[in-house]
């Protein structure tokens, strides 16, 4: 394959549905052609080069669209003559190179190298007059976001999960013993997370209960926690994308803020066979809204009032409405949440705690 200067042919890489398509021209060079045109050179000629589009900043889309998609791409094109995975499904990082077609950079981009290649990730715009011995492009919408969710199988997601866990040499217990309460560093706070922690600790002495700010840990540290977790408790948000790293016996408890619901993670849990539970805040007095989040949007007074004065979130609202309703802090009913967990994990709970 040869990339020519002035590329303008449309090549759809199957990125998340809201992402732009990528324009690039490629033309086949016959196998018998050994001499390259003047000024051209091969890029990583001994490796399989994956041409992809990775730009997501939101953890959910980075993990389950971008990263999952790249893993599917490498798996789909794995072969005996040009292996990209070893016998147990782990990516052969020394045999793969990544070329990112996105012009802008993502704060997660370094993870491409951590998981898929031991070479620096190249930008397509930096590779003018470049030839490739073996070029694959994708991920052809095999992701859990956008239209790809209908193509992606549990087996594909499990293979992705296991590949990452093996890469970090993690020992994941067949009898998970952790209960994790996720507390975000900013926004969507569980106001009384410490109260929930104390009651769960007393009610479930057979488990290690902790409050975790996952974004403050390395991804390897996060995976080590998650693959030994029996119950994951979190407000609606990207932390619940980690459903894919939980053991099959795990339970997920999603905390929905007042007047807001969305089925995204219930669908992920069903895909992975993980038990899903939800607690909905039905008391507006337990919610703390943050009107300041609306300041970054150009809203008329009537548009703002339609968002703030609404009885609940409406999918017909502009994006500002989504952010206003999703970013509220929640003071949960601790006994209700603990009772919900108790019904799921009764075999190690303490009968001495009054629920």
């Amino acid at each position: 394959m040869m990339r020519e200067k002035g590329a303008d042919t449309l090549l759809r890489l199957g990125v998340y549905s809201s992402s732009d398509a990528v324009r690039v021209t490629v033309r086949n060079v016959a196998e018998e052609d050994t001499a390259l045109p003047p000024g051209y050179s091969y890029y990583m000629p001994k490796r399989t080069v994956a041409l992809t589009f990775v730009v997501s900043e939101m953890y959910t889309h980075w993990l389950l669209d971008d990263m999952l998609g790249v893993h599917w791409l490498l798996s789909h094109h794995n072969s005996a003559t040009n292996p990209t995975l070893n016998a147990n499904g782990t990516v052969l990082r020394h045999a793969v190179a990544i070329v990112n077609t996105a012009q802008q950079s993502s704060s997660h981009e370094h993870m491409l190298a951590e998981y898929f290649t031991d070479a620096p990730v190249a930008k397509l715009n930096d590779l003018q007059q470049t030839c490739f011995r073996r070029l694959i492009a994708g991920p052809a919408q095999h992701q859990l976001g956008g239209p790809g969710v209908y193509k992606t199988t549990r087996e594909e997601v499990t293979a992705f999960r296991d590949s990452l866990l093996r890469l970090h040499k993690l020992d994941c217990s067949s009898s998970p013993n952790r209960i994790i309460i996720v507390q975000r560093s900013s926004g969507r706070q569980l106001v009384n997370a410490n109260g929930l922690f104390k009651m769960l600790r007393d009610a479930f002495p057979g488990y290690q209960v902790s409050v975790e700010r996952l974004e403050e840990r390395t991804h390897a540290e996060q995976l080590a926690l998650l693959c030994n977790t029996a119950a994951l408790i979190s407000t609606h948000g990207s932390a619940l994308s980690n459903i894919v790293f939980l053991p099959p016996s795990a339970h997920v408890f999603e905390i929905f803020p007042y007047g807001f619901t969305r089925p995204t993670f219930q669908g992920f849990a069903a895909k992975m066979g993980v038990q899903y539970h939800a607690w909905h805040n039905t008391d507006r007095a337990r919610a703390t809204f943050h009107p300041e989040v609306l300041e970054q949007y150009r809203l008329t007074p009537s548009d703002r009032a339609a968002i703030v004065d609404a009885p609940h979130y409406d999918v017909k609202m502009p994006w500002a409405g989504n952010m206003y309703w999703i970013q509220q802090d929640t003071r949960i009913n601790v006994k209700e949440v603990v009772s919900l967990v108790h019904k799921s994990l009764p075999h190690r709970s303490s009968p001495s705690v009054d629920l």
Side-chain angles (χ1 to χ4, degrees):
M1 285 291 190
M2 180 181 338
R3 184 182 189 236
E4 298 178 313
K5 201 168 183 178
D8 60 3
T9 300
L10 189 65
L11 173 67
R12 292 194 175 275
L13 300 186
V15 296
Y16 180 64
S17 57
S18 64
S19 303
D20 294 332
V22 177
R23 293 183 180 275
V24 57
T25 295
V26 293
R27 70 178 175 88
N28 287 320
V29 178
E31 287 292 329
E32 60 269 20
D33 289 348
T34 56
L36 298 179
Y40 281 80
S41 61
Y42 280 112
Y43 178 73
M44 299 282 180
K46 295 183 178 181
R47 299 182 182 229
T48 294
V49 180
L51 184 69
T52 190
F53 184 97
V54 176
V55 70
S56 301
E57 285 295 340
M58 188 183 297
Y59 179 74
T60 296
H61 296 314
W62 165 76
L63 180 71
L64 300 181
D65 296 331
D66 293 345
M67 300 293 282
L68 173 59
V70 172
H71 185 270
W72 177 89
L73 177 68
L74 296 174
S75 302
H76 182 71
H77 291 281
N78 185 42
S79 68
T81 54
N82 293 286
T84 53
L85 307 179
N86 65 16
N88 68 7
T90 301
V91 174
L92 296 171
R93 296 172 65 245
H94 68 277
V96 174
I98 303 288
V99 176
N100 192 359
T101 61
Q103 295 185 30
Q104 63 270 48
S105 295
S106 164
S107 60
H108 298 304
E109 194 170 2
H110 68 282
M111 303 296 279
L112 282 170
E114 180 173 340
Y115 287 126
F116 300 127
T117 181
D118 59 7
V121 175
K123 288 287 192 181
L124 183 62
N125 282 351
D126 296 333
L127 302 180
Q128 301 296 333
Q129 298 181 224
T130 301
C131 293
F132 306 92
R133 291 274 185 199
R134 184 168 189 256
L135 182 70
I136 58 177
Q141 295 183 342
H142 278 257
Q143 307 128 301
L144 283 182
V149 67
Y150 301 107
K151 295 181 178 181
T152 307
T153 66
R154 182 188 299 182
E155 290 73 22
E156 290 170 351
V157 183
T158 300
F160 168 67
R161 168 194 188 270
D162 292 346
S163 177
L164 268 58
L165 295 179
R166 282 193 297 266
L167 181 66
H168 291 298
K169 298 179 173 60
L170 293 176
D171 179 21
C172 300
S173 172
S174 59
S175 181
N177 68 340
R178 287 185 174 275
I179 298 175
I180 291 180
I181 305 162
V182 177
Q183 180 72 298
R184 297 168 66 102
S185 294
S186 62
R188 306 184 212 182
Q189 296 288 292
L190 288 176
V191 176
N192 50 347
N194 287 338
L196 177 61
F197 162 75
K198 291 175 182 178
M199 184 169 280
L200 285 172
R201 181 193 58 192
D202 294 342
F204 297 91
Y207 290 84
Q208 291 180 262
V209 183
S210 62
V211 178
E212 301 288 344
R213 299 183 187 271
L214 293 178
E215 64 267 41
E216 296 178 2
R217 291 182 174 270
T218 67
H219 202 239
E221 290 172 341
Q222 292 181 42
L223 300 189
L225 285 173
L226 293 161
C227 76
N228 288 294
T229 293
L232 181 67
I233 304 169
S234 174
T235 55
H236 174 83
S238 290
L240 289 170
S241 305
N242 291 308
I243 284 171
V244 299
F245 299 116
L246 296 176
S249 60
H251 293 255
V252 171
F253 301 86
E254 183 169 12
I255 307 297
F256 280 108
Y258 178 81
F260 185 94
T261 188
R262 187 166 285 163
T264 305
F265 300 108
Q266 183 176 8
F268 288 177
K271 175 79 75 174
M272 299 306 296
V274 173
Q275 296 297 311
Y276 174 88
H277 316 269
W279 182 84
H280 297 263
N281 178 22
T282 57
D283 183 0
R284 191 158 190 153
R286 290 182 171 274
T288 301
F289 288 87
H290 298 280
E292 63 273 14
V293 303
L294 297 176
E295 299 302 323
Q296 60 184 301
Y297 304 99
R298 295 182 178 180
L299 299 172
T300 66
S302 60
D303 288 340
R304 183 185 178 95
I307 292 171
V308 174
D309 298 336
H312 55 76
Y313 170 70
D314 191 316
V315 293
K316 296 179 181 178
M317 288 179 179
W319 185 248
N322 173 82
M323 296 306 294
Y324 175 79
W325 283 87
I326 204 172
Q327 289 291 76
Q328 55 180 287
D329 299 332
T330 302
R331 183 168 55 85
I332 60 174
N333 185 312
V334 172
K335 283 194 172 183
E336 286 183 4
V337 174
V338 173
S339 178
L340 191 60
V341 179
H342 183 272
K343 293 174 183 177
S344 304
L345 305 173
H347 57 291
R348 294 185 189 175
S349 60
S350 170
S352 63
V353 175
D354 181 17
L355 297 177

